[in-house]
Amino acid sequence: QLQLQESGPGLVKPSETLSLTCTVSGGSISSSSYYWGWIRQPPGKGLEWIGSIYYSGSTYYNPSLKSRVTISVDTSKNQFSLKLSSVTAADTAVYYCARHKTTVVTPINYWGQGTLVTVSS
Amino acid sequence: SYVLTQPPSVSVAPGKTARITCGGNNIGSKSVHWYQQKPGQAPVLVVYDDSDRPSGIPERFSGSNSGNTATLTISRVEAGDEADYYCQVWDSSSDHPKVFGGGTKLTVL
């Protein structure tokens, strides 16, 4: 059974860079069939797609975050990562890593448990 | 960017049918997906491509999509169906392609 697990600091200072890693188990991130993504959810609010990546490195980003976001993949570790720069309190959210059903246009059918990241000094 | 509009809340008595709508311009031309999210948990895909169900999702969950409205229907509602529900589309013509609706809180009375 595929499992995804987010890891990274739970507290980030304003103006700094948020960095999270998603470790995939029970399947290979190098599979040619799937895109992998990040979604976030501010406390008490709805879901927001951040971006998605293919094992080859091809990426799609939410335009509203694109200038601050980098998603990368490390196939040797079966991991993919999120970096969000110049964070503010508005970036406080639960961050989920996830896998699309297949291509980036398809829905997400596997989710990590989520990790809360708080932006505060 | 493409906008999906959901009612903030829907209430239904146990055993009845709940209908949660998702409005968008010509949404009938797009594939709509629905997620269920219970408090403190990650979302779960319950309907994809308008009306298909992932394995393990009860037949009580169904979907339809036409014109400017997509609908998630939950038949014979149970207490365990109480959750937030989100619709989602991929709008290839938009500069913001992966769009989620604002979510609907389903309350089982």
Short mmCIF file of all heavy atoms in Angstrom, two decimals, chain B residues 46-99:
data_model
loop_
_atom_site.label_atom_id
_atom_site.label_comp_id
_atom_site.label_asym_id
_atom_site.label_seq_id
_atom_site.Cartn_x
_atom_site.Cartn_y
_atom_site.Cartn_z
N VAL B 46 -13.75 10.61 -3.25
CA VAL B 46 -14.96 9.79 -3.20
C VAL B 46 -15.63 9.64 -4.56
O VAL B 46 -16.33 8.65 -4.80
CB VAL B 46 -15.98 10.34 -2.17
CG1 VAL B 46 -15.44 10.18 -0.75
CG2 VAL B 46 -16.35 11.78 -2.44
N VAL B 47 -15.44 10.60 -5.43
CA VAL B 47 -15.96 10.52 -6.81
C VAL B 47 -14.96 11.21 -7.72
O VAL B 47 -14.42 12.27 -7.38
CB VAL B 47 -17.35 11.19 -6.95
CG1 VAL B 47 -17.73 11.37 -8.42
CG2 VAL B 47 -18.42 10.38 -6.23
N TYR B 48 -14.68 10.60 -8.88
CA TYR B 48 -13.80 11.24 -9.86
C TYR B 48 -14.41 11.15 -11.25
O TYR B 48 -15.29 10.32 -11.50
CB TYR B 48 -12.39 10.63 -9.82
CG TYR B 48 -12.30 9.19 -10.28
CD1 TYR B 48 -11.92 8.88 -11.58
CD2 TYR B 48 -12.59 8.14 -9.41
CE1 TYR B 48 -11.83 7.57 -12.01
CE2 TYR B 48 -12.50 6.82 -9.83
CZ TYR B 48 -12.12 6.54 -11.12
OH TYR B 48 -12.03 5.23 -11.55
N ASP B 49 -13.92 12.01 -12.11
CA ASP B 49 -14.43 12.07 -13.49
C ASP B 49 -15.96 12.12 -13.49
O ASP B 49 -16.62 11.33 -14.20
CB ASP B 49 -13.92 10.88 -14.29
CG ASP B 49 -12.42 10.97 -14.56
OD1 ASP B 49 -11.83 12.03 -14.32
OD2 ASP B 49 -11.85 9.96 -15.01
N ASP B 50 -16.48 13.02 -12.73
CA ASP B 50 -17.93 13.32 -12.61
C ASP B 50 -18.71 12.28 -11.81
O ASP B 50 -19.54 12.66 -10.97
CB ASP B 50 -18.60 13.44 -13.99
CG ASP B 50 -18.05 14.55 -14.84
OD1 ASP B 50 -17.44 15.49 -14.28
OD2 ASP B 50 -18.22 14.50 -16.08
N SER B 51 -18.50 10.97 -12.12
CA SER B 51 -19.42 9.99 -11.56
C SER B 51 -18.78 8.64 -11.22
O SER B 51 -19.51 7.71 -10.85
CB SER B 51 -20.58 9.77 -12.53
OG SER B 51 -20.11 9.34 -13.79
N ASP B 52 -17.48 8.53 -11.37
CA ASP B 52 -16.82 7.26 -11.05
C ASP B 52 -16.44 7.21 -9.57
O ASP B 52 -16.10 8.24 -8.98
CB ASP B 52 -15.57 7.07 -11.91
CG ASP B 52 -15.92 6.78 -13.36
OD1 ASP B 52 -17.04 6.31 -13.64
OD2 ASP B 52 -15.06 7.04 -14.23
N ARG B 53 -16.48 6.02 -9.02
CA ARG B 53 -16.13 5.83 -7.60
C ARG B 53 -14.83 5.04 -7.48
O ARG B 53 -14.69 3.97 -8.09
CB ARG B 53 -17.23 5.07 -6.85
CG ARG B 53 -18.34 5.89 -6.30
CD ARG B 53 -19.25 5.00 -5.43
NE ARG B 53 -19.51 3.71 -6.06
CZ ARG B 53 -20.44 3.50 -6.96
NH1 ARG B 53 -21.19 4.52 -7.35
NH2 ARG B 53 -20.62 2.31 -7.48
N PRO B 54 -13.90 5.52 -6.66
CA PRO B 54 -12.71 4.70 -6.37
C PRO B 54 -13.13 3.43 -5.63
O PRO B 54 -14.19 3.38 -5.01
CB PRO B 54 -11.87 5.61 -5.46
CG PRO B 54 -12.38 6.98 -5.69
CD PRO B 54 -13.82 6.83 -6.01
N SER B 55 -12.27 2.42 -5.71
CA SER B 55 -12.58 1.20 -4.99
C SER B 55 -12.66 1.49 -3.49
O SER B 55 -11.89 2.29 -2.95
CB SER B 55 -11.51 0.14 -5.26
OG SER B 55 -10.25 0.60 -4.83
N GLY B 56 -13.63 0.86 -2.84
CA GLY B 56 -13.80 1.05 -1.41
C GLY B 56 -14.78 2.14 -1.04
O GLY B 56 -15.15 2.26 0.14
N ILE B 57 -15.20 2.94 -2.01
CA ILE B 57 -16.19 3.99 -1.72
C ILE B 57 -17.59 3.41 -1.93
O ILE B 57 -17.88 2.84 -2.99
CB ILE B 57 -15.98 5.21 -2.63
CG1 ILE B 57 -14.59 5.81 -2.42
CG2 ILE B 57 -17.07 6.26 -2.38
CD1 ILE B 57 -14.29 6.26 -1.00
N PRO B 58 -18.47 3.57 -0.94
CA PRO B 58 -19.81 2.97 -1.06
C PRO B 58 -20.59 3.50 -2.26
O PRO B 58 -20.43 4.64 -2.68
CB PRO B 58 -20.48 3.40 0.26
CG PRO B 58 -19.37 3.70 1.20
CD PRO B 58 -18.25 4.23 0.36
N GLU B 59 -21.48 2.65 -2.76
CA GLU B 59 -22.33 3.04 -3.89
C GLU B 59 -23.27 4.18 -3.53
O GLU B 59 -23.86 4.79 -4.42
CB GLU B 59 -23.14 1.83 -4.36
CG GLU B 59 -22.31 0.74 -5.00
CD GLU B 59 -23.17 -0.40 -5.51
OE1 GLU B 59 -24.41 -0.29 -5.45
OE2 GLU B 59 -22.60 -1.41 -5.96
N ARG B 60 -23.41 4.45 -2.25
CA ARG B 60 -24.26 5.56 -1.81
C ARG B 60 -23.75 6.91 -2.33
O ARG B 60 -24.48 7.88 -2.39
CB ARG B 60 -24.34 5.60 -0.29
CG ARG B 60 -24.88 4.35 0.35
CD ARG B 60 -25.05 4.51 1.86
NE ARG B 60 -23.79 4.75 2.56
CZ ARG B 60 -23.41 5.93 3.02
NH1 ARG B 60 -24.20 7.00 2.88
NH2 ARG B 60 -22.25 6.05 3.66
N PHE B 61 -22.47 6.95 -2.68
CA PHE B 61 -21.87 8.18 -3.20
C PHE B 61 -21.93 8.15 -4.73
O PHE B 61 -21.45 7.21 -5.37
CB PHE B 61 -20.41 8.31 -2.75
CG PHE B 61 -20.26 8.62 -1.29
CD1 PHE B 61 -20.33 7.61 -0.35
CD2 PHE B 61 -20.05 9.92 -0.85
CE1 PHE B 61 -20.20 7.88 1.01
CE2 PHE B 61 -19.92 10.21 0.50
CZ PHE B 61 -20.00 9.19 1.43
N SER B 62 -22.53 9.18 -5.30
CA SER B 62 -22.61 9.27 -6.75
C SER B 62 -22.47 10.72 -7.18
O SER B 62 -22.62 11.64 -6.37
CB SER B 62 -23.94 8.69 -7.26
OG SER B 62 -25.03 9.43 -6.75
N GLY B 63 -22.17 10.90 -8.46
CA GLY B 63 -21.98 12.26 -8.95
C GLY B 63 -22.59 12.45 -10.32
O GLY B 63 -22.82 11.49 -11.07
N SER B 64 -22.88 13.70 -10.63
CA SER B 64 -23.37 14.07 -11.95
C SER B 64 -22.82 15.44 -12.29
O SER B 64 -22.39 16.20 -11.42
CB SER B 64 -24.90 14.08 -11.98
OG SER B 64 -25.41 15.04 -11.08
N ASN B 65 -22.85 15.75 -13.60
CA ASN B 65 -22.28 17.02 -14.04
C ASN B 65 -22.91 17.44 -15.35
O ASN B 65 -22.85 16.69 -16.34
CB ASN B 65 -20.75 16.88 -14.19
CG ASN B 65 -20.07 18.18 -14.55
OD1 ASN B 65 -20.64 19.25 -14.37
ND2 ASN B 65 -18.87 18.09 -15.05
N SER B 66 -23.50 18.61 -15.37
CA SER B 66 -24.13 19.10 -16.60
C SER B 66 -24.26 20.62 -16.52
O SER B 66 -24.49 21.18 -15.44
CB SER B 66 -25.52 18.47 -16.77
OG SER B 66 -26.16 18.95 -17.92
N GLY B 67 -24.11 21.26 -17.66
CA GLY B 67 -24.29 22.70 -17.71
C GLY B 67 -23.32 23.43 -16.82
O GLY B 67 -22.10 23.30 -16.97
N ASN B 68 -23.85 24.19 -15.89
CA ASN B 68 -23.01 24.97 -14.98
C ASN B 68 -22.96 24.42 -13.57
O ASN B 68 -22.47 25.09 -12.66
CB ASN B 68 -23.51 26.42 -14.94
CG ASN B 68 -23.32 27.15 -16.25
OD1 ASN B 68 -22.29 27.02 -16.89
ND2 ASN B 68 -24.34 27.90 -16.67
N THR B 69 -23.46 23.18 -13.38
CA THR B 69 -23.51 22.61 -12.03
C THR B 69 -23.14 21.14 -12.01
O THR B 69 -23.68 20.34 -12.78
CB THR B 69 -24.92 22.78 -11.43
OG1 THR B 69 -25.30 24.15 -11.46
CG2 THR B 69 -24.94 22.29 -9.98
N ALA B 70 -22.24 20.81 -11.11
CA ALA B 70 -21.93 19.41 -10.79
C ALA B 70 -22.52 19.12 -9.41
O ALA B 70 -22.60 20.01 -8.55
CB ALA B 70 -20.43 19.18 -10.77
N THR B 71 -22.95 17.88 -9.22
CA THR B 71 -23.60 17.52 -7.96
C THR B 71 -23.05 16.22 -7.41
O THR B 71 -22.92 15.23 -8.14
CB THR B 71 -25.12 17.36 -8.17
OG1 THR B 71 -25.66 18.59 -8.71
CG2 THR B 71 -25.82 17.05 -6.86
N LEU B 72 -22.73 16.24 -6.13
CA LEU B 72 -22.39 15.03 -5.39
C LEU B 72 -23.64 14.63 -4.62
O LEU B 72 -24.19 15.44 -3.86
CB LEU B 72 -21.24 15.29 -4.42
CG LEU B 72 -20.89 14.13 -3.47
CD1 LEU B 72 -20.28 12.97 -4.24
CD2 LEU B 72 -19.94 14.61 -2.37
N THR B 73 -24.08 13.40 -4.82
CA THR B 73 -25.27 12.90 -4.13
C THR B 73 -24.87 11.78 -3.18
O THR B 73 -24.15 10.86 -3.57
CB THR B 73 -26.30 12.38 -5.14
OG1 THR B 73 -26.68 13.44 -6.03
CG2 THR B 73 -27.54 11.86 -4.43
N ILE B 74 -25.31 11.90 -1.96
CA ILE B 74 -25.06 10.86 -0.96
C ILE B 74 -26.41 10.32 -0.52
O ILE B 74 -27.22 11.03 0.08
CB ILE B 74 -24.30 11.42 0.26
CG1 ILE B 74 -23.05 12.19 -0.19
CG2 ILE B 74 -23.91 10.28 1.20
CD1 ILE B 74 -22.35 12.95 0.93
N SER B 75 -26.67 9.07 -0.85
CA SER B 75 -27.95 8.43 -0.52
C SER B 75 -27.86 7.76 0.84
O SER B 75 -26.78 7.38 1.30
CB SER B 75 -28.30 7.39 -1.59
OG SER B 75 -28.32 7.98 -2.87
N ARG B 76 -29.00 7.62 1.45
CA ARG B 76 -29.08 6.92 2.76
C ARG B 76 -27.96 7.42 3.68
O ARG B 76 -27.13 6.65 4.17
CB ARG B 76 -29.02 5.42 2.55
CG ARG B 76 -30.11 4.89 1.63
CD ARG B 76 -30.05 3.39 1.43
NE ARG B 76 -28.79 2.95 0.85
CZ ARG B 76 -28.47 3.03 -0.42
NH1 ARG B 76 -29.32 3.57 -1.28
NH2 ARG B 76 -27.31 2.58 -0.86
N VAL B 77 -27.97 8.70 3.92
CA VAL B 77 -26.90 9.34 4.68
C VAL B 77 -26.76 8.74 6.08
O VAL B 77 -27.75 8.45 6.76
CB VAL B 77 -27.15 10.86 4.77
CG1 VAL B 77 -26.26 11.52 5.82
CG2 VAL B 77 -26.94 11.51 3.41
N GLU B 78 -25.49 8.55 6.46
CA GLU B 78 -25.15 8.02 7.78
C GLU B 78 -24.42 9.09 8.58
O GLU B 78 -23.84 10.02 8.02
CB GLU B 78 -24.28 6.78 7.62
CG GLU B 78 -24.89 5.68 6.77
CD GLU B 78 -23.90 4.54 6.52
OE1 GLU B 78 -22.73 4.66 6.92
OE2 GLU B 78 -24.34 3.53 5.90
N ALA B 79 -24.40 8.88 9.88
CA ALA B 79 -23.70 9.84 10.75
C ALA B 79 -22.23 9.98 10.35
O ALA B 79 -21.64 11.06 10.43
CB ALA B 79 -23.82 9.40 12.20
N GLY B 80 -21.65 8.88 9.89
CA GLY B 80 -20.23 8.89 9.50
C GLY B 80 -19.95 9.67 8.23
O GLY B 80 -18.78 9.87 7.89
N ASP B 81 -21.00 10.12 7.53
CA ASP B 81 -20.79 10.91 6.32
C ASP B 81 -20.59 12.39 6.65
O ASP B 81 -20.26 13.18 5.76
CB ASP B 81 -22.00 10.78 5.38
CG ASP B 81 -22.22 9.36 4.90
OD1 ASP B 81 -21.22 8.60 4.80
OD2 ASP B 81 -23.38 8.99 4.64
N GLU B 82 -20.79 12.75 7.91
CA GLU B 82 -20.59 14.15 8.29
C GLU B 82 -19.14 14.54 8.08
O GLU B 82 -18.23 13.94 8.64
CB GLU B 82 -21.00 14.37 9.75
CG GLU B 82 -20.99 15.84 10.16
CD GLU B 82 -21.77 16.09 11.42
OE1 GLU B 82 -23.02 16.03 11.39
OE2 GLU B 82 -21.13 16.35 12.47
N ALA B 83 -18.92 15.55 7.24
CA ALA B 83 -17.57 15.93 6.83
C ALA B 83 -17.65 17.17 5.95
O ALA B 83 -18.74 17.64 5.61
CB ALA B 83 -16.91 14.79 6.05
N ASP B 84 -16.49 17.67 5.59
CA ASP B 84 -16.39 18.70 4.56
C ASP B 84 -16.19 18.03 3.21
O ASP B 84 -15.45 17.05 3.11
CB ASP B 84 -15.22 19.65 4.84
CG ASP B 84 -15.42 20.47 6.09
OD1 ASP B 84 -16.56 20.85 6.39
OD2 ASP B 84 -14.41 20.74 6.78
N TYR B 85 -16.84 18.56 2.20
CA TYR B 85 -16.73 18.01 0.86
C TYR B 85 -16.25 19.11 -0.10
O TYR B 85 -16.77 20.22 -0.09
CB TYR B 85 -18.07 17.45 0.39
CG TYR B 85 -18.47 16.20 1.15
CD1 TYR B 85 -19.11 16.28 2.38
CD2 TYR B 85 -18.16 14.94 0.65
CE1 TYR B 85 -19.45 15.14 3.09
CE2 TYR B 85 -18.51 13.78 1.35
CZ TYR B 85 -19.15 13.90 2.57
OH TYR B 85 -19.47 12.76 3.27
N TYR B 86 -15.24 18.76 -0.91
CA TYR B 86 -14.65 19.71 -1.86
C TYR B 86 -14.77 19.17 -3.28
O TYR B 86 -14.45 18.00 -3.53
CB TYR B 86 -13.17 19.93 -1.55
CG TYR B 86 -12.90 20.59 -0.22
CD1 TYR B 86 -12.71 19.84 0.93
CD2 TYR B 86 -12.81 21.98 -0.13
CE1 TYR B 86 -12.46 20.44 2.15
CE2 TYR B 86 -12.56 22.60 1.09
CZ TYR B 86 -12.39 21.82 2.22
OH TYR B 86 -12.14 22.44 3.42
N CYS B 87 -15.20 20.02 -4.20
CA CYS B 87 -15.12 19.67 -5.61
C CYS B 87 -13.81 20.22 -6.18
O CYS B 87 -13.20 21.14 -5.60
CB CYS B 87 -16.32 20.20 -6.38
SG CYS B 87 -16.58 22.00 -6.33
N GLN B 88 -13.38 19.65 -7.29
CA GLN B 88 -12.11 20.05 -7.89
C GLN B 88 -12.14 19.78 -9.39
O GLN B 88 -12.68 18.76 -9.83
CB GLN B 88 -10.96 19.30 -7.23
CG GLN B 88 -9.57 19.67 -7.78
CD GLN B 88 -8.95 18.53 -8.57
OE1 GLN B 88 -8.88 17.40 -8.13
NE2 GLN B 88 -8.49 18.84 -9.78
N VAL B 89 -11.57 20.66 -10.15
CA VAL B 89 -11.41 20.46 -11.59
C VAL B 89 -10.00 20.84 -12.00
O VAL B 89 -9.27 21.50 -11.26
CB VAL B 89 -12.41 21.30 -12.43
CG1 VAL B 89 -13.84 20.97 -12.07
CG2 VAL B 89 -12.13 22.80 -12.29
N TRP B 90 -9.62 20.41 -13.19
CA TRP B 90 -8.39 20.89 -13.82
C TRP B 90 -8.83 21.69 -15.04
O TRP B 90 -9.44 21.16 -15.96
CB TRP B 90 -7.50 19.73 -14.26
CG TRP B 90 -6.24 20.20 -14.92
CD1 TRP B 90 -6.06 20.47 -16.26
CD2 TRP B 90 -4.98 20.45 -14.30
NE1 TRP B 90 -4.77 20.88 -16.49
CE2 TRP B 90 -4.08 20.88 -15.31
CE3 TRP B 90 -4.52 20.35 -12.99
CZ2 TRP B 90 -2.75 21.21 -15.03
CZ3 TRP B 90 -3.19 20.67 -12.72
CH2 TRP B 90 -2.34 21.10 -13.73
N ASP B 91 -8.57 22.98 -15.02
CA ASP B 91 -8.98 23.87 -16.09
C ASP B 91 -7.77 24.21 -16.94
O ASP B 91 -7.02 25.13 -16.64
CB ASP B 91 -9.60 25.13 -15.51
CG ASP B 91 -10.07 26.10 -16.60
OD1 ASP B 91 -10.56 25.60 -17.64
OD2 ASP B 91 -9.93 27.32 -16.42
N SER B 92 -7.60 23.48 -18.04
CA SER B 92 -6.41 23.64 -18.86
C SER B 92 -6.33 25.00 -19.53
O SER B 92 -5.26 25.43 -19.96
CB SER B 92 -6.34 22.54 -19.90
OG SER B 92 -7.51 22.55 -20.70
N SER B 93 -7.46 25.69 -19.63
CA SER B 93 -7.47 26.99 -20.30
C SER B 93 -7.15 28.12 -19.34
O SER B 93 -7.05 29.28 -19.75
CB SER B 93 -8.83 27.24 -20.93
OG SER B 93 -9.83 27.34 -19.93
N SER B 94 -6.97 27.78 -18.08
CA SER B 94 -6.77 28.80 -17.06
C SER B 94 -5.29 28.93 -16.71
O SER B 94 -4.52 27.99 -16.87
CB SER B 94 -7.56 28.45 -15.81
OG SER B 94 -7.21 29.29 -14.73
N ASP B 95 -4.94 30.11 -16.19
CA ASP B 95 -3.58 30.25 -15.69
C ASP B 95 -3.45 29.63 -14.30
O ASP B 95 -2.38 29.61 -13.71
CB ASP B 95 -3.18 31.72 -15.66
CG ASP B 95 -4.08 32.56 -14.77
OD1 ASP B 95 -5.10 32.04 -14.29
OD2 ASP B 95 -3.75 33.74 -14.55
N HIS B 96 -4.55 29.16 -13.75
CA HIS B 96 -4.56 28.50 -12.45
C HIS B 96 -5.33 27.21 -12.62
O HIS B 96 -6.51 27.13 -12.32
CB HIS B 96 -5.22 29.40 -11.40
CG HIS B 96 -5.21 28.81 -10.03
ND1 HIS B 96 -5.64 29.52 -8.93
CD2 HIS B 96 -4.80 27.62 -9.57
CE1 HIS B 96 -5.50 28.77 -7.86
NE2 HIS B 96 -5.01 27.61 -8.22
N PRO B 97 -4.68 26.18 -13.12
CA PRO B 97 -5.42 25.03 -13.63
C PRO B 97 -6.07 24.14 -12.58
O PRO B 97 -7.16 23.63 -12.82
CB PRO B 97 -4.36 24.27 -14.43
CG PRO B 97 -3.07 24.68 -13.83
CD PRO B 97 -3.26 26.11 -13.42
N LYS B 98 -5.40 23.93 -11.45
CA LYS B 98 -5.96 22.98 -10.49
C LYS B 98 -6.77 23.76 -9.46
O LYS B 98 -6.21 24.41 -8.58
CB LYS B 98 -4.88 22.15 -9.82
CG LYS B 98 -5.46 20.93 -9.07
CD LYS B 98 -4.35 19.96 -8.68
CE LYS B 98 -4.90 18.64 -8.20
NZ LYS B 98 -5.46 17.88 -9.34
N VAL B 99 -8.09 23.68 -9.57
CA VAL B 99 -8.98 24.52 -8.79
C VAL B 99 -9.81 23.68 -7.84
O VAL B 99 -10.40 22.66 -8.25
CB VAL B 99 -9.91 25.33 -9.72
CG1 VAL B 99 -10.82 26.24 -8.90
CG2 VAL B 99 -9.10 26.15 -10.71
#
